[in-house]
Amino acid sequence: MNNSLRKPAETAVEQCMGLRANESCCIVTDDKRKAIAEALYAVARETTDDVAMIRYPPGDQHGEEPPAPVAAAMAGADVVLAPTTKSLSHTQARTDANEAGARVATLPGITDGVFLMGMDADYERIREECGNVLAQVQDADEIRVTSPQGTDITFAPGDREWKEDTGIVHESGLMTNLPAGEVFVSPETADGTVVVDGTMMPHGQLEDGHVVEFTVEDGQVVDIADEGLRGEVEAAAEEVGDDAYNLAELGIGTNVAVSDLVGSVLLDEKAGGTVHIAIGDDHGIGGDVHAPIHSDGILTEPTVYADGEEVELPQE
């Protein structure tokens, strides 16, 4: 085991998941994330004898279903930790595991550096920040986000529920992303312009002056100025049609331990005071669209309004 990964593994297994001696734990990984999985396995093994690590070849895209034996192992465990190259967050396997009672933490695209940085945090503080943001937005009929770069978009959550990703999942059936720290909703509809200046695939962290712009009408992305993002969404649309253009998510980062973007969507979308807006799949976060893409774009200087009142965003 890589000893430098032990401390973040302890945070994940003990503080975030609250693994107990009488529980089973399944570590799901692939060939490229073996070191992190081994660190999680070693820490979990110190708490329970009922622990297994299952590895499979990396998927081709985020949201791709894992092999059937992997899905079965996830559904059969009390606690699941999934450091994988491609995200399992928006898969039926993850949903089925939660519905079977498992507590699940997905760590999509995690690297050693992101694991070290993102898990070096006080998750009780993150839970407090999530609560503060949630209290300001959860009853609003309309959320507006603007930015100096040109973002001006209005969301209607409708009947869909805001959710917290605090990183602390001690009750059966719950799920978190690790590293964690966001409050998010899959809105019923949205209209406006989004100008991403932080991080978005396929580019990673955007260089100064490079932005990714797209336009939303009635909850659908109708124009994408960036060739790279447009190509990814068009490829998904070949499989599922217009669902690939769904405006899937509005999220607000609450992890105040993340002060600088590093080019990892997993970490950067959690940075305190940022906003992320996603295109594509939302069925796993309160929506009803299934798509082979869930692409988050991070805004570094957002202003958020809930029914016209400015929201106080988390700051370090």
Side-chain angles (χ1 to χ4, degrees):
M1 183 185 76
N2 183 337
N3 287 329
S4 69
L5 301 178
R6 180 177 176 83
K7 184 176 179 181
E10 289 175 345
T11 299
V13 172
E14 297 168 4
Q15 185 179 28
C16 293
M17 306 307 292
L19 179 66
R20 296 182 284 272
N22 63 344
E23 292 184 313
S24 60
C25 180
C26 178
I27 312 295
V28 175
T29 191
D30 58 46
D31 298 337
K32 295 183 179 180
R33 299 294 182 262
K34 183 180 173 184
I36 293 171
E38 288 178 340
L40 291 168
Y41 176 89
V43 172
R45 179 67 181 81
E46 294 172 2
T47 297
T48 178
D49 292 332
D50 194 354
V51 58
M53 185 171 73
I54 183 168
R55 189 175 75 180
Y56 68 101
D60 294 324
Q61 60 191 9
H62 295 295
E64 181 179 337
E65 294 296 329
V70 176
M74 293 170 65
D78 294 311
V79 172
V80 178
L81 290 126
T84 54
T85 304
K86 300 298 182 181
S87 177
L88 295 181
S89 301
H90 304 277
T91 61
Q92 193 62 43
R94 192 278 301 167
T95 300
D96 290 346
N98 280 145
E99 290 179 350
R103 309 196 298 280
V104 180
T106 58
L107 297 84
I110 192 80
T111 64
D112 291 5
V114 169
F115 192 53
L116 288 163
M117 186 184 307
M119 299 307 297
D120 184 19
D122 179 356
Y123 277 87
E124 290 295 342
R125 165 78 187 280
I126 291 170
R127 179 155 62 178
E128 290 177 9
E129 296 290 354
C130 284
N132 291 338
V133 171
L134 185 63
Q136 297 177 77
V137 300
Q138 64 182 347
D139 295 325
D141 295 321
E142 181 180 281
I143 304 291
R144 182 185 177 203
V145 177
T146 65
S147 76
Q149 291 76 24
T151 295
D152 194 342
I153 183 169
T154 300
F155 304 84
D159 292 331
R160 294 183 178 174
E161 182 182 356
W162 284 88
K163 300 177 184 292
E164 300 174 277
D165 183 23
T166 66
I168 297 178
V169 284
H170 293 179
E171 298 177 18
S172 64
L174 296 183
M175 177 253 178
T176 188
N177 235 196
L178 291 178
E182 65 173 292
V183 172
F184 61 95
V185 68
S186 176
E188 287 190 355
T189 190
D191 292 275
T193 300
V194 178
V195 183
V196 177
D197 67 303
T199 298
M200 192 167 199
M201 302 309 289
H203 306 289
Q205 187 173 4
L206 301 174
E207 299 178 355
D208 289 344
H210 181 193
V211 297
V212 173
E213 182 174 343
F214 54 92
T215 304
V216 182
E217 294 179 3
D218 295 327
Q220 291 288 108
V221 177
V222 296
D223 183 68
I224 302 174
D226 181 80
E227 182 177 351
L229 176 61
R230 185 169 63 249
E232 289 200 338
V233 177
E234 287 176 348
E238 291 179 3
E239 183 175 336
V240 296
D242 289 344
D243 282 351
Y245 293 89
N246 177 52
L247 197 287
E249 179 187 5
L250 164 64
I252 300 171
T254 60
N255 189 329
V256 292
V258 181
S259 56
D260 298 307
L261 303 192
V262 298
S264 163
V265 172
L266 172 66
L267 183 64
D268 293 354
E269 70 175 4
K270 309 304 192 313
T274 64
V275 158
H276 56 278
I277 298 169
I279 301 169
D281 187 278
D282 64 11
H283 84 277
I285 56 172
D288 54 13
V289 169
H290 291 253
I293 186 173
H294 181 90
S295 186
D296 293 279
I298 293 131
L299 284 58
T300 66
E301 299 181 279
T303 302
V304 181
Y305 302 91
D307 288 340
E309 295 290 325
E310 185 172 346
V311 174
E312 182 180 347
L313 299 178
Q315 301 293 332
E316 188 176 5

